[in-house]
Amino acid sequence: MERLVINGGTALRGSVEINGAKNAAVAILPAAVVASKGKCVIDNIPDIEDVHCLERILRSLGCTVNKLDNNTLEVDSSDVTNFDACTDDVRRMRASYYFIGALLTRFKQAKVQLPGGCPIGVRPIDQHIKGFEALGAEVVIEHGSVILKADKLVGADIFFDVVSVGATINVMIAATLAEGITTLENVAKEPHVVDVANFLNTMGANIKGAGTDIIRIMGVKELKGCSYSVIPDQIEAGTFMIAAAATKGDVTITNVIPKHLESISAKLKEMGAIVEEGDDSIRVTVDKELKGVNIKTTPYPGFPTDVQQPMSALLSTVAGRSLITESIWENRHKHIDELKKMGSNIKVEGRVAIIDGVKKLTGAIVKATDLRAGAAMVIAGLVAEGETQITSIEHIDRGYPHIENKFSALGADIHRIKVQE
Ligand code: EPZ
């Protein structure tokens, strides 16, 4: 097993380049299965465990996957005939559920193992299923797999009951080859939803309105290979912005789309940090004591749930009281017990974390209970006095590429060790 070891107390300084968006890449790779002709060359793919897992699933389906460099994959799905995605890798991660929409639209049938992912709450897929059924698929769940069959898929008007990133993307993928027009309402507007729509359109789909309240998809006959570059990762960027503020550093975060970071920038400014936007960069500096703020997570363009855990580490040492209300996931405060081991003064009442800032955190052995919890522990370790060891870092590796190298380059004392556990 591996751990991250951090000796805290260094203000981060310098510049860090953000990789491609995990939550876009993990949808784009399954969507590449829809291309029945030609190769997809996809650039700016983050070098993370979730992507490695998807590469294995793509190969198990019969795709040819070539790694052109660390961040570029070539996927050829033209010879795929297999619509059965039931491997341990499929169960291991959340985004494998995008194979349901992709295989269904291409083959009019699919069998996909129910997905895993971070333990942050109940993660139903009823809205995905509602969409597939509306398009004409018969859906059953048997022995832990979703099995879908349709004589043909026909466009439909679908109003989602909850705003879901996964359901929006999955049903959008499924509708690309359906006959006629599909209208999706009450959709997610996250940047990665737009990115997946752009990828599908580059393959020949006809999707309009992604990023707004209504997405319209005019079905086409087939999708073909294309070249595409994934957008920068909003959440990785937000994590480095928060780490810069937490260590009272001066960090320029490059390869970002500042517009995607507005809700995070606004909160950091409200706390007293200086956030300067460039065309494709953001600089975060701190020249005074920060003050507590209240945060409520909401779908985009609101404050992202995926950034609230890192934010709780920052707010732990900020004077005054802060409240974080998690409105998306019912169980995303599990990392708070770990922060408390480092001296944080936090109480959780239902979905609200009540944080009373303390003067300092102290290093401890703590666990990355999930992906973003891991990022929170890294930030806490960077500000804490003494040594922090983070266990279960496989969660962090699922979504943050080479995290210790990036923080080391900013001056942090952080490295990875192997231990017998
Ligand atoms: C995506 O998960 C992200 N994962 C999550 O990021 C992120 O937290 C989440 O969107 C919200 O932004 C990926 O993109 C792989 P949802 P997803 O469907 O799509 C309820 C990270 O840290 N819901 O938008 O699974 C659900 O219970 C990960 O990178 C239904 O009720 O999330 C939740 O309360 C963790 N029925 C809400 O909707 C459904 O069919 C939003 O979930 C689907 C969802």
Side-chain angles (χ1 to χ4, degrees):
M1 302 297 266
E2 293 186 325
R3 292 183 179 184
L4 285 175
V5 180
I6 305 171
N7 275 291
T10 310
L12 299 179
R13 292 191 188 284
S15 99
V16 59
E17 187 175 334
I18 295 307
N19 283 92
K22 161 190 167 269
N23 287 343
V26 298
I28 283 173
L29 288 172
V33 167
V34 187
S36 47
K37 281 190 191 138
K39 297 172 179 171
C40 293
V41 177
I42 309 158
D43 182 22
N44 210 24
I45 299 251
D47 187 16
I48 52 174
E49 198 38 50
D50 269 7
V51 163
H52 304 158
C53 200
L54 286 170
E55 287 174 43
R56 293 191 293 270
I57 301 171
L58 285 165
R59 289 196 181 98
S60 76
L61 284 169
C63 301
T64 306
V65 183
N66 292 318
K67 202 165 181 146
L68 302 186
D69 63 43
N70 261 352
N71 300 105
T72 312
L73 287 178
E74 181 187 72
V75 182
D76 186 345
S77 307
S78 40
D79 292 334
V80 174
T81 51
N82 183 7
F83 47 83
D84 183 333
C86 292
T87 65
D88 286 346
D89 283 321
V90 175
R91 248 198 329 267
R92 202 165 282 145
M93 64 180 302
R94 194 73 198 156
S96 56
Y97 57 26
Y98 293 127
F99 283 106
I100 308 176
L103 293 169
L104 176 67
T105 203
R106 176 148 176 203
F107 298 110
K108 308 295 167 269
Q109 51 187 327
K111 183 173 176 205
V112 179
Q113 199 110 45
L114 284 166
C118 280
I120 52 182
V122 183
R123 302 187 74 174
I125 58 163
D126 57 298
Q127 296 304 303
H128 304 232
I129 291 174
K130 168 177 162 162
F132 301 139
E133 285 178 338
L135 294 175
E138 240 176 63
V139 185
V140 290
I141 296 184
E142 267 176 19
H143 306 297
S145 295
V146 194
I147 302 163
L148 305 94
K149 233 183 182 146
D151 292 335
K152 59 178 183 175
L153 296 176
V154 181
D157 293 339
I158 300 161
F159 195 104
F160 291 112
D161 302 329
V162 294
V163 176
S164 159
V165 170
T168 302
I169 292 177
N170 222 349
V171 180
M172 183 170 79
I173 296 171
T176 52
L177 304 184
E179 285 173 21
I181 297 176
T182 298
T183 307
L184 306 181
E185 288 191 66
N186 200 25
V187 288
K189 294 182 268 195
E190 268 66 4
H192 32 289
V193 173
V194 180
D195 206 36
V196 180
N198 288 340
F199 172 66
L200 292 165
N201 282 342
T202 313
M203 286 201 292
N206 185 347
I207 302 171
K208 294 201 166 74
T212 74
D213 291 322
I214 303 181
I215 299 178
R216 283 201 177 79
I217 304 137
M218 169 70 93
V220 296
K221 289 258 176 293
E222 64 178 3
L223 299 191
K224 295 180 188 158
C226 68
S227 292
Y228 195 75
S229 187
V230 177
I231 51 163
D233 196 311
Q234 175 203 22
I235 309 303
E236 190 196 14
T239 304
F240 278 95
M241 290 168 75
I242 291 166
T247 61
K248 300 197 168 45
D250 180 351
V251 177
T252 300
I253 296 136
T254 64
N255 187 33
V256 298
I257 299 175
K259 174 100 191 120
H260 295 167
L261 300 166
E262 276 174 348
S263 62
I264 304 164
S265 300
K267 274 299 155 193
L268 290 175
K269 286 183 192 162
E270 196 182 323
M271 292 170 69
I274 302 163
V275 181
E276 296 162 86
E277 287 183 8
D279 287 341
D280 60 358
S281 66
I282 278 210
R283 181 177 174 205
V284 178
T285 47
V286 172
D287 65 357
K288 61 175 181 225
E289 282 307 309
L290 300 177
K291 61 177 187 351
V293 288
N294 295 336
I295 290 173
K296 182 171 182 185
T297 64
T298 51
Y300 189 82
F303 193 91
T305 167
D306 297 345
V307 180
Q308 67 87 350
Q309 291 162 297
M311 203 65 169
S312 65
L314 161 60
L315 291 171
S316 287
T317 57
V318 167
R321 174 165 282 197
S322 300
L323 303 181
I324 297 182
T325 306
E326 170 56 57
S327 72
I328 313 285
W329 301 112
E330 66 271 22
N331 205 1
R332 216 170 194 185
H333 288 311
K334 277 204 287 197
H335 65 296
I336 298 294
D337 282 339
E338 302 301 305
L339 283 178
K340 282 183 180 170
K341 292 180 190 163
M342 301 177 73
S344 292
N345 182 3
I346 311 184
K347 240 183 359 208
V348 177
E349 288 182 2
R351 285 178 174 237
V352 185
I354 304 159
I355 307 172
D356 286 307
V358 293
K359 285 244 171 315
K360 63 170 187 187
L361 299 181
T362 51
I365 298 182
V366 289
K367 185 175 174 183
T369 52
D370 61 69
L371 168 59
R372 310 300 173 188
M377 292 309 132
V378 170
I379 292 169
L382 292 172
V383 295
E385 196 178 277
E387 184 182 281
T388 296
Q389 290 201 10
I390 306 174
T391 66
S392 297
I393 60 170
E394 63 280 3
H395 286 299
I396 301 177
D397 293 335
R398 282 189 33 226
Y400 287 95
H402 314 292
I403 195 164
E404 71 275 29
N405 298 347
K406 288 189 165 189
F407 276 115
S408 294
L410 294 172
D413 182 347
I414 176 170
H415 63 280
R416 188 180 285 254
I417 56 166
K418 282 200 184 339
V419 288
Q420 294 288 339
E421 291 193 57

